[in-house]
C-alpha cells in the first residue's frame, strides 16, 4: 500500500496513462497479487524460536530502518522508469 498510493498519485500528477494509472480491475488484480505473495511468504516462513518471551521494542525506536524505505523507493522508481520507457504514451486527442 505504501507504494501503490504514491504510484497512483504520481501517475495522475505526471499525466502518465492519461491520468488513470490503474483501472478498477487492474487495481484489484494488483491487490490480489500483493496479498497472495505476502500470504505465500508468511505461510512457508520458518517460525521464530522463542518470540513471545522477547521484550517489545522501545517506544522511540523506528519500525523501519532507513535502508528499507530507501530500497523500496529505488525499486519503485526503477520499475516506473522501465514501465514508462518500454510503452510509449498514446497520441493526444486534445483539440480534435
Amino acid at each position: 500500500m505504501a507504494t501503490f498510493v504514491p504510484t497512483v498519485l504520481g501517475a495522475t500528477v505526471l499525466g502518465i496513462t492519461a491520468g488513470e494509472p490503474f483501472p478498477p480491475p487492474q487495481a484489484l488484480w494488483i491487490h490480489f497479487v500483493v496479498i497472495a505473495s505476502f500470504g505465500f511468504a508468511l505461510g512457508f516462513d520458518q517460525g521464530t524460536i522463542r518470540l513471545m518471551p522477547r521484550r517489545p521494542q522501545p517506544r522511540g525506536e523506528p519500525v523501519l530502518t532507513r535502508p528499507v524505505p530507501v530500497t523500496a523507493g529505488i525499486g519503485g522508481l526503477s520499475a516506473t522508469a522501465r514501465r514508462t520507457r518500454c510503452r510509449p504514451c498514446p497520441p493526444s486527442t486534445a483539440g480534435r
Side-chain angles (χ1 to χ4, degrees), residues 4 22-34:
F4 188 71
F22 302 114
Q26 188 176 11
L28 290 171
W29 184 83
I30 291 169
H31 181 70
F32 171 75
V33 168
V34 169

Side-chain angles (χ1 to χ4, degrees), residues 50-66:
R50 309 232 351 119
L51 179 65
M52 293 307 287
R54 290 185 189 172
R55 294 189 55 81
Q57 287 181 270
R59 233 179 241 272
E61 188 175 331
V63 176
L64 298 176
T65 58
R66 184 171 298 272

Side-chain angles (χ1 to χ4, degrees), residues 35-47:
I35 296 302
S37 62
F38 285 150
F40 185 79
L42 289 173
F44 288 98
D45 190 23
Q46 295 293 325

